[in-house]
Amino acid sequence: MLHVYYLGVLICVAGSYALYDSSSDVVELTPSNFDKLVTNSDEVWIVEFYAPWCGHCKNLVPEYKKAARALKGIIKVGAIDADAHKSYAQKYGVSGFPTIKIFTGSKHSAYQGSRTADAFVDAGLKAAKEKAYDTLGKKSGGQSSDKSDVITLTDSNFKELVLDSEDLWLVEFYAPWCGHCKNLEPHWAKAATELKGKVKLGALDATVHTSMASRYQVQGYPTIKLFPSGKKTSDSAEDYNGGRTSSDIVTFALEKLAESVPAPEIAQVTDDETMKACSEKTLCVVSILPHILDCNAACRNEFISILARLGDKYKRKMWGWVWSEAGAQIALEEALELGGFGYPAMAVVSAKKLKFSTLRGSFSESGINEFLRDLSFGRGQTAPVRAAEMPKISKTEPWDGKDGELPPEEDIDLSDVDLEKDEL
């Protein structure tokens, strides 16, 4: 009887280490059944590598069980005690717990999503769809590839990526079998690349991620919705009814962006950071204004006002705008060949290409507008930045907004000077 008692205790202790009992839909995997059930099968598996003592693993149990129940009969969901079976942890590069991987036969990939039942379901269905399309000898029905700038959206990441972001989004709700969606795909991808860094383009398979499709009343494919910049509400989406070419999409997106983007700051170049921020833009508009003793506060403010109005006019270009006082940034003036014809002067520089173009006309609103308009259409002469690098910026004090003051004249004591003697 004593032996039977100890045997029962051992069974209970051993059972207490298992995170998933036999009543769960999570399949218990071990070295004796792993290859047979997972790597040698044609089924898609989501596999958790866990340690019984791991707190994060214990916290995961309810969501993982829920996912297994939802995917029953569709995707296999399993778990292996990688602490007890260290050879499998090593074989599959497991260095922390829990580690989750998706297997399609011998092929496996790391799961990178959130640890919720919804996210596991999304990942499993995506893997199954990719497997099905591979069997047909086609690409997955998704609208974005690894090299595409189109962002793949799901029910589980939509809120975080789109609704909670400050970015302007265009989202396509599509169906993999839809002919119009397939025709749109190359145009959507091209537009995403052209708008990169300005507007985000996403694609959501509405046949799989039905929650978001239902929320936004998607009834046909493709349906395109605009989600504006800044804080978004549940009803902030707008229908896109424009053309389906990349040019149509880009034009529409930039117009919407221009409506929401504030006018750029016309910043004074006082340190490296100011110039760096401007140089990171596609183009940086650099103005050298006359010295404050040659052009008082009212005069300077009039020039800055002209730049501000033009900055607002061209804000959709997302250019940077800076100015400096004549003589304050000699290296910058020399690099862009400014000042040779007097001040004010202007050059537009591409720090990435180390090329610049100089304003040859008048420094007036109409003259600058003509110059910038030509540049925006790719017209105008360019020259390489001197020394083939952006110049060093001197740290200076920002303008205080006041008129300049001449330095006080020195009093000269003439008491010791004998003027009559000097005249002789």
Side-chain angles (χ1 to χ4, degrees):
M1 289 294 292
L2 188 61
H3 289 295
V4 172
Y5 169 77
Y6 279 120
L7 179 60
V9 170
L10 288 172
I11 292 173
C12 290
V13 170
S16 68
Y17 279 93
L19 293 185
Y20 304 96
D21 54 37
S22 58
S23 65
S24 167
D25 292 306
V26 177
V27 179
E28 182 183 358
L29 297 170
T30 65
S32 62
N33 67 9
F34 194 98
D35 290 338
K36 178 183 178 181
L37 294 180
V38 182
T39 58
N40 294 335
S41 79
D42 291 328
E43 295 176 293
V44 174
W45 279 81
I46 302 175
V47 177
E48 175 196 3
F49 294 78
Y50 72 90
W53 44 262
C54 162
H56 293 301
C57 302
K58 293 175 183 177
N59 293 336
L60 179 64
V61 169
E63 290 295 306
Y64 203 62
K65 282 184 175 180
K66 192 187 299 183
R69 186 164 61 252
L71 290 169
K72 189 174 182 179
I74 306 170
I75 306 292
K76 295 288 187 180
V77 178
I80 182 170
D81 183 346
D83 188 49
H85 307 298
K86 291 183 172 59
S87 61
Y88 270 72
Q90 184 177 5
K91 180 177 181 179
Y92 292 107
V94 175
S95 57
F97 304 114
T99 290
I100 300 166
K101 292 183 178 288
I102 298 179
F103 286 80
T104 305
S106 59
K107 297 179 181 179
H108 64 274
S109 60
Y111 171 79
Q112 303 290 352
S114 59
R115 294 174 182 178
T116 64
D118 285 349
F120 292 135
V121 168
D122 288 340
L125 293 175
K126 181 183 177 184
K129 187 168 68 171
E130 289 175 352
K131 180 178 182 296
Y133 274 95
D134 285 343
T135 302
L136 289 173
K138 297 181 178 181
K139 292 182 178 179
S140 170
Q143 294 289 293
S144 60
S145 67
D146 291 340
K147 295 181 180 180
S148 173
D149 292 309
V150 177
I151 298 168
T152 301
L153 297 171
T154 66
D155 281 341
S156 60
N157 69 11
F158 198 94
K159 182 177 184 297
E160 178 186 356
L161 294 182
V162 180
L163 301 181
D164 292 344
S165 78
E166 293 290 320
D167 300 307
L168 188 150
W169 278 79
L170 277 175
V171 176
E172 176 200 1
F173 295 82
Y174 71 92
W177 43 260
C178 161
H180 293 302
C181 303
K182 293 175 182 177
N183 292 336
L184 175 63
E185 183 176 356
H187 295 282
W188 197 248
K190 184 178 179 183
T193 299
E194 290 185 31
L195 291 167
K196 190 174 183 180
K198 300 174 184 177
V199 178
K200 291 187 175 179
L201 266 66
L204 181 140
D205 184 344
T207 65
V208 173
H209 307 287
T210 56
S211 175
M212 285 299 158
S214 175
R215 178 175 180 178
Y216 293 105
Q217 300 177 340
V218 175
Q219 297 177 341
Y221 309 112
T223 291
I224 300 172
K225 300 275 185 178
L226 168 78
F227 294 83
S229 304
K231 189 175 181 181
K232 300 170 182 63
T233 61
S234 58
D235 58 351
S236 60
E238 301 175 24
D239 288 325
Y240 170 80
N241 295 310
R244 299 288 176 85
T245 68
S246 60
S247 177
D248 293 328
I249 296 163
V250 169
T251 299
F252 173 83
L254 291 178
E255 286 176 354
K256 287 295 182 180
L257 182 64
E259 292 175 6
S260 59
V261 170
E265 177 190 3
I266 312 300
Q268 182 182 0
V269 180
T270 57
D271 52 32
D272 278 320
E273 289 303 312
T274 314
M275 194 63 207
K276 181 181 177 183
C278 191
S279 298
E280 287 174 348
K281 303 291 186 179
T282 309
L283 294 176
C284 177
V285 183
V286 181
S287 298
I288 306 297
L289 303 183
H291 193 280
I292 194 63
L293 294 177
D294 298 323
C295 174
N296 62 18
C299 168
R300 176 173 290 182
N301 282 325
E302 178 56 31
F303 283 132
I304 293 174
S305 295
I306 290 173
L307 296 175
R309 289 194 294 272
L310 289 165
D312 184 58
K313 182 173 182 176
Y314 288 91
K315 63 182 181 181
R316 71 177 63 185
K317 301 294 184 182
M318 307 294 283
W319 294 339
W321 294 70
V322 293
W323 69 273
S324 178
E325 181 177 79
Q329 301 293 343
I330 297 297
L332 179 62
E333 292 186 40
E334 290 179 347
L336 304 182
E337 300 179 8
L338 293 170
F341 299 97
Y343 305 102
M346 174 182 285
V348 177
V349 59
S350 167
K352 183 178 181 181
K353 297 180 180 178
L354 291 174
K355 298 272 190 180
F356 72 93
S357 184
T358 307
L359 170 68
R360 299 299 183 190
S362 66
F363 197 98
S364 62
E365 192 157 348
S366 60
I368 297 171
N369 179 57
E370 185 177 346
F371 169 60
L372 297 179
R373 187 183 62 217
D374 285 347
L375 283 179
S376 67
F377 287 116
R379 297 195 293 263
Q381 295 182 337
T382 62
V385 174
R386 284 192 182 179
E389 63 179 1
M390 291 301 289
K392 299 293 183 183
I393 300 300
S394 303
K395 191 171 181 61
T396 59
E397 291 297 321
W399 178 44
D400 60 7
K402 299 178 182 179
D403 287 332
E405 294 183 4
L406 290 169
E409 295 184 3
E410 294 184 11
D411 292 332
I412 301 175
D413 185 1
L414 300 177
S415 60
D416 295 334
V417 177
D418 188 342
L419 296 178
E420 292 185 0
K421 183 177 180 181
D422 289 345
E423 289 176 357
L424 295 174

